[in-house]
Amino acid sequence: MSEIIKLTLNELVAGIKKKKFSSHEVTKDFVNRCIKSKKLNSFITDNFDNALKISKKFEIKSNQNKQLPGIPFAVKDLFCTKGIKTTAGSKILNNFIPTYESTVTQNIWNEGAILLGKLNCDEFAMGSSNETSFFGNVENPVGKKLVPGGSSGGSASALAANLTPATIGTDTGGSIRQPASFTGTVGLKPTYGRCSRWGIVAFASSLDQAGPMTKTVEDCALLLQAISGYDPNDSTSIDIRVDNFSSNLTEKVKGLTIGIPKEYRVENMPVEIDKLWKKGMDFLKDAGVIIKDISLPHTKYALPAYYIVAPAEASSNLARYDGVKYGHRSEGKNLIEMYENTRSEGFGDEVKRRILIGTYVLSSGYYDAYYLKAQKVRQLIKQDFDNSFNSVDAILTPSTPNSSFKMGEKKGDPVSMYLNDIFTVPVNLAGLPAISVPSGYDKKKLPLGLQLIGKPFDEQTILNLSLALQKRINFKRNVNNWWK
Amino acid sequence: MSIDQKTVKYISKLARISINEKKAKNLAKDLTNIFKFIEKLNKLDTKNIEPLTSIAETKLHLREDNIKDGNIRDQILKNSPEKNKEYFVVPKVIE
C-alpha cells in the first residue's frame, strides 16, 4: 500500500470504510506530515491535538453512510469555526474567536470530516500570491521562494504538499483557480449561490463563493457534493436540487461543444501556455468533443470593472472592523481617533489600498462614473457568456497568463499583480462555475492549469470534461520535499 | 486621472484610516496607476445598458421569525478589546 498521505480523498474514504486503516491512523500521518512541514507556513492555527483526540474516538461502524468519514481536513482561515480562532489572514482579527460555524464547514463536519487546522491566506482574501497575509508568506511546495498563488495560497500549498487530503478555499476573482494552477492541483469555483456564504469572512459579497480544492477531479466532485446546498442563513444561496456529482461523473463527453474565446489569446502570453491550450483542445477532440471558435468581446473590460466592484463592496464589508466588539484595537484620544488608529494598524497595505479605492468610487458624486458604470459592464460580460452558451456547452481557456513567480517579484506593482487574474475574473462577474485542471509544466518546470467554464449550475459538465482531460493529460505532481 | 495626496487624505478620513504623509504619497502613486487602469472602461459606450445589480436570480424565502440562538453574551463579550461587565467600552464620546 502506498503512503497514506499520498492517497486521494476517494481512496482515503474507501480505505476507512473498508477498515484498511482507521481515521486515527490517517489523522496521525497527516499531523506528523504537517509538523514536519512548518517551513511552508501553510497553517495559521493548528488543531492537531484536538483532531487526534476526535479521530481516536471515531467509529466507522456508525458512520458508514457519511461522505467524508473520519477524514482529517484543513480549511482556509476565512471560514468561521466555532470556538477556534479565525483571522482572515489579518492582524485586525488576530484574536477573534467565532461563536458560530460557517455553513460550508459545518456541512463538511456533518459528513464526518475532522478539522485539522486553519490555513494561511491573503489578508481578507485580497491578493494573488499570499504575500499580503499578516502571518507571513506561504511557500509553494513546487519550489523554494515561489508563491503558491492567492488568495487561497495556504490551502493550495497544504494540499500540494500532502498536508491535507483535500481542502476548501474561496474565490472572488480567481482565488481558488489561480493557486490551483500554480501548485498543480484541481480547484473549482461553483456557480454563485451554489454554496452558502454564511460564516465566511466577507470580501466582495456579489462575487465571493466557496469551493473545493483537491488532488483529482473525482475528489473535486465528491467535495463539491458535500459543501453544496441552499441555506436559509444566506438569501443568495439558491434552492436548487444538488445532483450527485460523484455518481454522475463520467468521461463520456462525446458530442459536447467547447468554445475557444479568441479574446483570451492575450498579448505577451508565453508560448508554452498557448501550446498547452492547444494540447487541451486536442485532448478534448480525442474525447469526441467539438471545438468551436467563439468571441467574448468585453473580456478586456472585466478586470477594470472588477477593480471597481470588488473594492467598493470590500470597503462596505470591512467598515465593521472598528475595534469595538472584536478584533484588534489601538488607542486614541477620542472615539474617531481610536477608529482611525485601529484600522491603520490593523489592516495591511493591500487591504487599505482596496478600501480607499472602494471609498473613492462610492463617494459623493462618483457613483455613476464608477460603480454604476462597472455594473453595466458586468451586464455586458454576462451577456457575452449567455450568447456563447447558446451554441457551446462549456468554454476552455488557460487558467492563468503565467506560472508561479518568485516572492517579492510583483509586490511593488499592484496592477501587474492584478493582471494575474485576467482569465479568472470574468467568471466571477458573471456568476458562473469554473474549474482549473492541472495540465502540464512550463520550461521552468512549474505547473500550469487549464480552465473550463460552465453554464450556471452545470458544474457536472465541466467536471466530466475535466475528467476526460485528466485521463488524457496524466499529470504527475512533482513534490520533492525540498522543505524537509 | 491622477489622485493627489490631498485626495488620499480626504478619502482615508472617510474610510476612518489614519495615514501619514509618506504613506499618502505612496498611495497617491498607487491609486493613480490603478485608476488609469480602471478608466479603460471610459472607452466603452454603456448608454442603453441596464446595470447588473444581482447575479443570483433568486426569490426571497419567507420564514417564521423565531429565535434560534442567543444567551451567548459572555462568549461575544470575550472577543471585545475592552469591556465592563456586560458592556463594550469605547473612549469617552460626550465631554
Side-chain angles (χ1 to χ4, degrees):
Chain A
M1 191 183 69
S2 63
E3 276 179 86
I4 280 177
I5 53 157
K6 288 185 179 166
L7 297 178
T8 68
L9 182 61
N10 274 284
E11 286 165 342
L12 287 170
V13 170
I16 290 176
K17 282 190 178 179
K18 285 182 199 144
K19 295 190 189 167
K20 265 197 196 159
F21 35 72
S22 69
S23 164
H24 190 58
E25 285 168 309
V26 172
T27 307
K28 243 181 3 201
D29 279 8
F30 277 101
V31 167
N32 286 338
R33 174 82 175 166
C34 289
I35 290 169
K36 283 184 200 147
S37 304
K38 288 210 163 131
K39 255 191 207 158
L40 297 173
N41 200 30
S42 331
F43 282 83
I44 290 175
T45 305
D46 78 61
N47 194 42
F48 300 154
D49 291 343
N50 245 331
L52 288 169
K53 247 185 254 163
I54 296 168
S55 67
K56 204 161 197 176
K57 284 190 228 141
F58 187 84
E59 289 271 352
I60 188 56
K61 221 169 138 187
S62 50
N63 288 294
Q64 271 292 342
N65 294 327
K66 301 219 162 137
Q67 292 178 55
L68 307 167
I71 299 286
F73 197 102
V75 302
K76 185 179 186 177
D77 204 18
L78 210 67
F79 294 92
C80 284
T81 41
K82 191 174 177 177
I84 289 167
K85 192 172 82 164
T86 299
T87 70
S90 181
K91 180 180 178 183
I92 216 159
L93 283 175
N94 193 9
N95 50 11
F96 173 60
I97 301 191
T99 56
Y100 57 93
E101 184 80 26
S102 88
T103 301
V104 159
T105 47
Q106 189 60 55
N107 289 346
I108 292 173
W109 317 139
N110 289 348
E111 290 301 334
I114 300 166
L115 177 67
L116 196 52
K118 306 294 293 289
L119 297 167
N120 209 334
C121 57
D122 277 303
E123 186 178 4
F124 287 103
M126 298 177 194
S128 305
S129 62
N130 217 118
E131 292 171 291
T132 74
S133 168
F134 174 66
F135 302 91
N137 294 350
V138 173
E139 296 272 359
N140 188 337
V142 163
K144 218 172 177 175
K145 294 285 164 214
L146 286 172
V147 302
S151 68
S152 310
S155 299
S157 168
L159 175 65
N162 297 326
L163 311 188
T164 181
T167 180
I168 47 171
T170 59
D171 191 316
T172 305
S175 285
I176 286 174
R177 290 160 286 154
Q178 186 252 19
S181 178
F182 279 18
T183 54
T185 54
V186 178
L188 184 143
K189 184 204 91 79
T191 312
Y192 185 80
R194 176 62 97 181
C195 302
S196 170
R197 291 182 297 109
W198 167 258
I200 302 174
V201 177
F203 162 13
S205 305
S206 79
L207 304 163
D208 296 344
Q209 192 63 201
M213 301 174 78
T214 56
K215 291 176 184 172
T216 66
V217 174
E218 291 90 335
D219 288 358
C220 192
L222 175 66
L223 189 51
L224 179 63
Q225 176 83 29
I227 64 174
S228 295
Y230 169 67
D231 174 15
N233 284 336
D234 174 7
S235 63
T236 63
S237 73
I238 310 254
D239 198 356
I240 187 173
R241 207 169 75 111
V242 179
D243 289 315
N244 192 326
F245 298 114
S246 274
S247 59
N248 292 341
L249 192 65
T250 170
E251 55 173 313
K252 289 190 185 116
V253 290
K254 200 176 160 185
L256 290 177
T257 307
I258 299 296
I260 307 296
K262 62 171 190 254
E263 289 79 8
Y264 281 63
R265 195 159 282 125
V266 293
E267 260 177 80
N268 304 326
M269 187 158 79
V271 188
E272 296 139 293
I273 292 184
D274 206 39
K275 265 194 198 156
L276 183 80
W277 196 6
K278 285 202 186 89
K279 203 172 91 182
M281 294 177 216
D282 288 340
F283 281 139
L284 287 176
K285 268 189 221 161
D286 178 61
V289 167
I290 301 150
I291 304 289
K292 189 175 182 246
D293 287 327
I294 59 166
S295 174
L296 299 166
H298 297 95
T299 299
K300 66 174 168 194
Y301 299 109
L303 209 50
Y306 176 85
Y307 275 95
I308 295 172
V309 174
E313 293 182 13
S315 73
S316 308
N317 274 327
L318 272 59
R320 73 190 69 174
Y321 302 104
D322 59 4
V324 174
K325 299 189 199 74
Y326 49 84
H328 171 82
R329 176 190 285 192
S330 306
E331 296 304 316
K333 283 202 301 286
N334 52 47
L335 186 63
I336 299 286
E337 216 186 271
M338 184 278 279
Y339 290 152
E340 290 180 340
N341 292 342
T342 294
R343 290 164 64 80
S344 179
E345 288 169 28
F347 292 135
D349 286 344
E350 180 60 22
V351 172
K352 280 183 207 161
R353 263 197 293 270
R354 299 212 198 178
I355 291 175
L356 294 181
I357 299 168
T359 306
Y360 184 79
V361 300
L362 292 178
S363 65
S364 175
Y366 291 106
Y367 182 83
D368 284 4
Y370 293 105
Y371 197 69
L372 190 69
K373 177 92 185 176
Q375 283 185 312
K376 289 179 171 188
V377 176
R378 204 172 166 182
Q379 183 78 271
L380 290 169
I381 288 162
K382 186 174 177 290
Q383 283 173 5
D384 282 356
F385 281 110
D386 288 348
N387 292 339
S388 295
F389 283 131
N390 286 327
S391 63
V392 301
D393 298 294
I395 295 168
L396 180 76
T397 76
S399 301
T400 52
N402 49 262
S403 59
S404 172
F405 45 87
K406 287 269 177 211
M407 288 176 187
E409 195 180 309
K410 300 189 185 207
K411 226 186 158 186
D413 182 359
V415 174
S416 99
M417 188 67 94
Y418 298 169
L419 288 171
N420 257 285
D421 297 331
I422 192 161
F423 298 147
T424 46
V425 151
V427 162
N428 298 76
L429 290 171
L432 302 170
I435 185 170
S436 176
V437 191
S439 300
Y441 287 93
D442 66 4
K443 56 176 183 270
K444 289 180 277 181
K445 297 209 161 58
L446 300 177
L448 289 166
L450 285 172
Q451 173 177 243
L452 281 152
I453 305 169
K455 296 177 185 176
F457 296 101
D458 191 15
E459 285 86 355
Q460 190 71 59
T461 297
I462 54 173
L463 283 166
N464 292 349
L465 287 161
S466 299
L467 186 68
L469 270 182
Q470 179 182 277
K471 296 240 159 132
R472 286 167 177 81
I473 290 166
N474 197 17
F475 179 86
K476 294 266 183 293
R477 265 182 322 115
N478 232 339
V479 176
N480 63 10
N481 295 331
W482 60 263
W483 62 91
K484 289 180 81 179
Chain B
M1 187 193 61
S2 84
I3 292 188
D4 57 18
Q5 256 166 275
K6 209 177 122 205
T7 310
V8 169
K9 284 292 223 185
Y10 171 67
I11 48 177
S12 60
K13 194 85 201 163
L14 293 179
R16 296 275 185 259
I17 298 175
S18 72
I19 294 216
N20 64 31
E21 293 304 322
K22 196 179 159 233
K23 279 247 154 117
K25 201 176 156 193
N26 290 337
L27 276 162
K29 196 184 103 218
D30 285 348
L31 294 194
T32 297
N33 283 337
I34 293 166
F35 275 93
K36 256 186 214 152
F37 176 69
I38 287 174
E39 282 169 357
K40 275 187 196 167
L41 295 184
N42 294 340
K43 286 187 209 145
L44 189 64
D45 181 11
T46 51
K47 216 190 290 161
N48 296 316
I49 309 297
E50 277 294 304
L52 184 70
T53 49
S54 172
I55 203 79
E57 288 162 24
T58 174
K59 61 172 200 283
L60 293 175
H61 292 254
L62 290 175
R63 58 163 170 77
E64 293 297 315
D65 192 15
N66 294 330
I67 298 170
K68 286 183 290 184
D69 54 10
N71 293 324
I72 51 169
R73 186 181 65 199
D74 292 346
Q75 273 169 269
I76 286 175
L77 277 166
K78 235 190 227 168
N79 273 316
S80 86
E82 201 182 339
K83 56 198 161 285
N84 182 351
K85 288 176 189 153
E86 63 260 46
Y87 298 103
F88 298 113
V89 176
V90 295
K92 204 165 167 187
V93 180
I94 303 164
E95 289 300 326

mmCIF file of all heavy atoms in Angstrom, chain A residues 120-150:
data_model
loop_
_atom_site.group_PDB
_atom_site.id
_atom_site.type_symbol
_atom_site.label_atom_id
_atom_site.label_comp_id
_atom_site.label_asym_id
_atom_site.label_seq_id
_atom_site.Cartn_x
_atom_site.Cartn_y
_atom_site.Cartn_z
ATOM 1 N N ASN A 120 -3.409 29.435 5.960
ATOM 2 C CA ASN A 120 -2.986 30.793 5.635
ATOM 3 C C ASN A 120 -3.656 31.282 4.347
ATOM 4 O O ASN A 120 -4.001 30.482 3.466
ATOM 5 C CB ASN A 120 -1.465 30.793 5.460
ATOM 6 C CG ASN A 120 -0.847 32.126 5.801
ATOM 7 O OD1 ASN A 120 -1.506 33.176 5.717
ATOM 8 N ND2 ASN A 120 0.418 32.118 6.169
ATOM 9 N N CYS A 121 -3.813 32.584 4.235
ATOM 10 C CA CYS A 121 -4.397 33.169 3.024
ATOM 11 C C CYS A 121 -4.009 34.644 2.967
ATOM 12 O O CYS A 121 -3.560 35.212 3.957
ATOM 13 C CB CYS A 121 -5.914 33.021 3.025
ATOM 14 S SG CYS A 121 -6.738 33.753 4.451
ATOM 15 N N ASP A 122 -4.199 35.252 1.808
ATOM 16 C CA ASP A 122 -4.002 36.688 1.707
ATOM 17 C C ASP A 122 -4.995 37.384 2.631
ATOM 18 O O ASP A 122 -6.103 36.891 2.853
ATOM 19 C CB ASP A 122 -4.229 37.151 0.263
ATOM 20 C CG ASP A 122 -2.998 36.953 -0.603
ATOM 21 O OD1 ASP A 122 -1.938 37.486 -0.237
ATOM 22 O OD2 ASP A 122 -3.099 36.277 -1.643
ATOM 23 N N GLU A 123 -4.584 38.542 3.161
ATOM 24 C CA GLU A 123 -5.419 39.262 4.119
ATOM 25 C C GLU A 123 -6.793 39.572 3.510
ATOM 26 O O GLU A 123 -6.881 40.183 2.442
ATOM 27 C CB GLU A 123 -4.727 40.570 4.539
ATOM 28 C CG GLU A 123 -5.490 41.270 5.646
ATOM 29 C CD GLU A 123 -4.815 42.553 6.130
ATOM 30 O OE1 GLU A 123 -3.782 42.955 5.573
ATOM 31 O OE2 GLU A 123 -5.364 43.155 7.076
ATOM 32 N N PHE A 124 -7.833 39.118 4.178
ATOM 33 C CA PHE A 124 -9.212 39.262 3.701
ATOM 34 C C PHE A 124 -9.374 38.765 2.264
ATOM 35 O O PHE A 124 -10.208 39.251 1.510
ATOM 36 C CB PHE A 124 -9.708 40.713 3.838
ATOM 37 C CG PHE A 124 -9.990 41.085 5.260
ATOM 38 C CD1 PHE A 124 -9.100 41.875 5.981
ATOM 39 C CD2 PHE A 124 -11.127 40.614 5.904
ATOM 40 C CE1 PHE A 124 -9.344 42.190 7.316
ATOM 41 C CE2 PHE A 124 -11.379 40.924 7.232
ATOM 42 C CZ PHE A 124 -10.490 41.714 7.940
ATOM 43 N N ALA A 125 -8.551 37.789 1.881
ATOM 44 C CA ALA A 125 -8.600 37.164 0.550
ATOM 45 C C ALA A 125 -8.233 38.141 -0.566
ATOM 46 O O ALA A 125 -8.597 37.929 -1.713
ATOM 47 C CB ALA A 125 -9.961 36.515 0.293
ATOM 48 N N MET A 126 -7.502 39.220 -0.210
ATOM 49 C CA MET A 126 -7.116 40.204 -1.221
ATOM 50 C C MET A 126 -5.661 40.010 -1.601
ATOM 51 O O MET A 126 -4.750 40.488 -0.919
ATOM 52 C CB MET A 126 -7.324 41.615 -0.693
ATOM 53 C CG MET A 126 -8.777 41.902 -0.366
ATOM 54 S SD MET A 126 -8.944 43.534 0.323
ATOM 55 C CE MET A 126 -10.616 43.433 0.976
ATOM 56 N N GLY A 127 -5.445 39.297 -2.708
ATOM 57 C CA GLY A 127 -4.081 39.077 -3.160
ATOM 58 C C GLY A 127 -4.028 37.895 -4.105
ATOM 59 O O GLY A 127 -4.964 37.090 -4.164
ATOM 60 N N SER A 128 -2.950 37.794 -4.866
ATOM 61 C CA SER A 128 -2.798 36.710 -5.829
ATOM 62 C C SER A 128 -1.504 35.946 -5.593
ATOM 63 O O SER A 128 -1.043 35.218 -6.458
ATOM 64 C CB SER A 128 -2.805 37.278 -7.255
ATOM 65 O OG SER A 128 -3.962 38.051 -7.461
ATOM 66 N N SER A 129 -0.888 36.128 -4.413
ATOM 67 C CA SER A 129 0.397 35.469 -4.170
ATOM 68 C C SER A 129 0.594 35.059 -2.710
ATOM 69 O O SER A 129 1.638 34.568 -2.338
ATOM 70 C CB SER A 129 1.536 36.416 -4.561
ATOM 71 O OG SER A 129 1.487 37.581 -3.745
ATOM 72 N N ASN A 130 -0.420 35.266 -1.891
ATOM 73 C CA ASN A 130 -0.342 35.005 -0.454
ATOM 74 C C ASN A 130 0.764 35.816 0.231
ATOM 75 O O ASN A 130 1.285 35.439 1.270
ATOM 76 C CB ASN A 130 -0.165 33.511 -0.158
ATOM 77 C CG ASN A 130 -0.928 33.087 1.095
ATOM 78 O OD1 ASN A 130 -1.827 32.272 1.040
ATOM 79 N ND2 ASN A 130 -0.606 33.689 2.242
ATOM 80 N N GLU A 131 1.116 36.962 -0.362
ATOM 81 C CA GLU A 131 2.127 37.822 0.256
ATOM 82 C C GLU A 131 1.505 38.958 1.074
ATOM 83 O O GLU A 131 2.230 39.777 1.616
ATOM 84 C CB GLU A 131 3.041 38.418 -0.825
ATOM 85 C CG GLU A 131 3.929 37.381 -1.493
ATOM 86 C CD GLU A 131 4.659 37.958 -2.702
ATOM 87 O OE1 GLU A 131 3.982 38.252 -3.708
ATOM 88 O OE2 GLU A 131 5.869 38.117 -2.639
ATOM 89 N N THR A 132 0.159 39.014 1.142
ATOM 90 C CA THR A 132 -0.450 40.090 1.931
ATOM 91 C C THR A 132 -0.904 39.603 3.310
ATOM 92 O O THR A 132 -1.442 40.365 4.093
ATOM 93 C CB THR A 132 -1.653 40.739 1.205
ATOM 94 O OG1 THR A 132 -2.774 39.846 1.239
ATOM 95 C CG2 THR A 132 -1.331 41.098 -0.235
ATOM 96 N N SER A 133 -0.678 38.308 3.619
ATOM 97 C CA SER A 133 -1.094 37.781 4.918
ATOM 98 C C SER A 133 -0.273 38.400 6.049
ATOM 99 O O SER A 133 0.945 38.534 5.935
ATOM 100 C CB SER A 133 -0.904 36.261 4.947
ATOM 101 O OG SER A 133 -1.042 35.782 6.273
ATOM 102 N N PHE A 134 -0.951 38.748 7.151
ATOM 103 C CA PHE A 134 -0.250 39.231 8.349
ATOM 104 C C PHE A 134 0.638 38.130 8.926
ATOM 105 O O PHE A 134 1.599 38.393 9.631
ATOM 106 C CB PHE A 134 -1.292 39.693 9.381
ATOM 107 C CG PHE A 134 -0.703 40.088 10.716
ATOM 108 C CD1 PHE A 134 0.122 41.191 10.823
ATOM 109 C CD2 PHE A 134 -0.983 39.349 11.861
ATOM 110 C CE1 PHE A 134 0.671 41.560 12.051
ATOM 111 C CE2 PHE A 134 -0.446 39.705 13.088
ATOM 112 C CZ PHE A 134 0.389 40.819 13.189
ATOM 113 N N PHE A 135 0.316 36.879 8.621
ATOM 114 C CA PHE A 135 1.025 35.736 9.185
ATOM 115 C C PHE A 135 2.152 35.229 8.288
ATOM 116 O O PHE A 135 2.632 34.111 8.446
ATOM 117 C CB PHE A 135 0.027 34.625 9.526
ATOM 118 C CG PHE A 135 -1.016 35.110 10.495
ATOM 119 C CD1 PHE A 135 -2.211 35.656 10.033
ATOM 120 C CD2 PHE A 135 -0.782 35.097 11.855
ATOM 121 C CE1 PHE A 135 -3.157 36.151 10.917
ATOM 122 C CE2 PHE A 135 -1.716 35.601 12.745
ATOM 123 C CZ PHE A 135 -2.908 36.132 12.275
ATOM 124 N N GLY A 136 2.552 36.051 7.340
ATOM 125 C CA GLY A 136 3.733 35.734 6.549
ATOM 126 C C GLY A 136 3.445 35.026 5.234
ATOM 127 O O GLY A 136 2.341 34.512 5.011
ATOM 128 N N ASN A 137 4.451 35.005 4.371
ATOM 129 C CA ASN A 137 4.335 34.356 3.066
ATOM 130 C C ASN A 137 4.181 32.848 3.218
ATOM 131 O O ASN A 137 4.666 32.266 4.185
ATOM 132 C CB ASN A 137 5.596 34.608 2.234
ATOM 133 C CG ASN A 137 5.744 36.075 1.864
ATOM 134 O OD1 ASN A 137 4.823 36.869 2.062
ATOM 135 N ND2 ASN A 137 6.897 36.429 1.338
ATOM 136 N N VAL A 138 3.555 32.245 2.239
ATOM 137 C CA VAL A 138 3.433 30.789 2.187
ATOM 138 C C VAL A 138 4.317 30.294 1.045
ATOM 139 O O VAL A 138 4.363 30.898 -0.019
ATOM 140 C CB VAL A 138 1.962 30.379 1.935
ATOM 141 C CG1 VAL A 138 1.850 28.882 1.707
ATOM 142 C CG2 VAL A 138 1.085 30.816 3.081
ATOM 143 N N GLU A 139 5.029 29.205 1.291
ATOM 144 C CA GLU A 139 5.883 28.625 0.252
ATOM 145 C C GLU A 139 5.067 27.705 -0.654
ATOM 146 O O GLU A 139 4.179 26.991 -0.189
ATOM 147 C CB GLU A 139 6.999 27.792 0.898
ATOM 148 C CG GLU A 139 7.976 28.593 1.748
ATOM 149 C CD GLU A 139 9.138 29.155 0.930
ATOM 150 O OE1 GLU A 139 9.187 28.906 -0.289
ATOM 151 O OE2 GLU A 139 9.991 29.843 1.536
ATOM 152 N N ASN A 140 5.406 27.704 -1.917
ATOM 153 C CA ASN A 140 4.823 26.755 -2.861
ATOM 154 C C ASN A 140 5.654 25.472 -2.812
ATOM 155 O O ASN A 140 6.867 25.524 -3.022
ATOM 156 C CB ASN A 140 4.872 27.366 -4.270
ATOM 157 C CG ASN A 140 4.112 26.540 -5.286
ATOM 158 O OD1 ASN A 140 3.907 25.344 -5.098
ATOM 159 N ND2 ASN A 140 3.699 27.176 -6.366
ATOM 160 N N PRO A 141 5.043 24.326 -2.500
ATOM 161 C CA PRO A 141 5.821 23.077 -2.417
ATOM 162 C C PRO A 141 6.537 22.731 -3.718
ATOM 163 O O PRO A 141 7.464 21.913 -3.722
ATOM 164 C CB PRO A 141 4.775 22.009 -2.073
ATOM 165 C CG PRO A 141 3.455 22.668 -2.065
ATOM 166 C CD PRO A 141 3.626 24.143 -2.168
ATOM 167 N N VAL A 142 6.143 23.364 -4.796
ATOM 168 C CA VAL A 142 6.737 23.099 -6.103
ATOM 169 C C VAL A 142 8.190 23.577 -6.169
ATOM 170 O O VAL A 142 9.026 23.000 -6.873
ATOM 171 C CB VAL A 142 5.869 23.775 -7.184
ATOM 172 C CG1 VAL A 142 6.596 23.922 -8.486
ATOM 173 C CG2 VAL A 142 4.564 23.015 -7.361
ATOM 174 N N GLY A 143 8.537 24.625 -5.420
ATOM 175 C CA GLY A 143 9.907 25.123 -5.428
ATOM 176 C C GLY A 143 10.111 26.229 -4.422
ATOM 177 O O GLY A 143 9.179 26.948 -4.094
ATOM 178 N N LYS A 144 11.342 26.371 -3.961
ATOM 179 C CA LYS A 144 11.672 27.309 -2.896
ATOM 180 C C LYS A 144 11.445 28.755 -3.321
ATOM 181 O O LYS A 144 11.777 29.124 -4.445
ATOM 182 C CB LYS A 144 13.160 27.121 -2.547
ATOM 183 C CG LYS A 144 13.440 27.245 -1.085
ATOM 184 C CD LYS A 144 14.890 26.863 -0.812
ATOM 185 C CE LYS A 144 15.188 27.064 0.648
ATOM 186 N NZ LYS A 144 16.513 26.609 1.010
ATOM 187 N N LYS A 145 10.911 29.562 -2.388
ATOM 188 C CA LYS A 145 10.687 31.005 -2.582
ATOM 189 C C LYS A 145 9.753 31.320 -3.741
ATOM 190 O O LYS A 145 9.757 32.413 -4.287
ATOM 191 C CB LYS A 145 12.018 31.756 -2.753
ATOM 192 C CG LYS A 145 12.891 31.751 -1.506
ATOM 193 C CD LYS A 145 12.370 32.710 -0.443
ATOM 194 C CE LYS A 145 12.993 32.429 0.913
ATOM 195 N NZ LYS A 145 12.087 32.680 2.041
ATOM 196 N N LEU A 146 8.982 30.319 -4.146
ATOM 197 C CA LEU A 146 7.963 30.555 -5.168
ATOM 198 C C LEU A 146 6.622 30.775 -4.477
ATOM 199 O O LEU A 146 6.318 30.103 -3.489
ATOM 200 C CB LEU A 146 7.845 29.345 -6.097
ATOM 201 C CG LEU A 146 8.968 29.131 -7.111
ATOM 202 C CD1 LEU A 146 8.785 27.778 -7.802
ATOM 203 C CD2 LEU A 146 8.989 30.255 -8.134
ATOM 204 N N VAL A 147 5.798 31.693 -4.994
ATOM 205 C CA VAL A 147 4.489 31.923 -4.382
ATOM 206 C C VAL A 147 3.538 30.789 -4.758
ATOM 207 O O VAL A 147 3.639 30.217 -5.844
ATOM 208 C CB VAL A 147 3.887 33.276 -4.806
ATOM 209 C CG1 VAL A 147 4.811 34.419 -4.445
ATOM 210 C CG2 VAL A 147 3.538 33.310 -6.285
ATOM 211 N N PRO A 148 2.616 30.438 -3.834
ATOM 212 C CA PRO A 148 1.640 29.392 -4.138
ATOM 213 C C PRO A 148 0.417 29.949 -4.849
ATOM 214 O O PRO A 148 -0.544 29.228 -5.096
ATOM 215 C CB PRO A 148 1.250 28.885 -2.746
ATOM 216 C CG PRO A 148 1.374 30.099 -1.877
ATOM 217 C CD PRO A 148 2.471 30.946 -2.455
ATOM 218 N N GLY A 149 0.430 31.242 -5.166
ATOM 219 C CA GLY A 149 -0.765 31.900 -5.684
ATOM 220 C C GLY A 149 -1.627 32.365 -4.531
ATOM 221 O O GLY A 149 -1.304 32.144 -3.360
ATOM 222 N N GLY A 150 -2.720 33.026 -4.870
ATOM 223 C CA GLY A 150 -3.579 33.520 -3.808
ATOM 224 C C GLY A 150 -4.960 33.837 -4.336
ATOM 225 O O GLY A 150 -5.204 33.749 -5.527
#
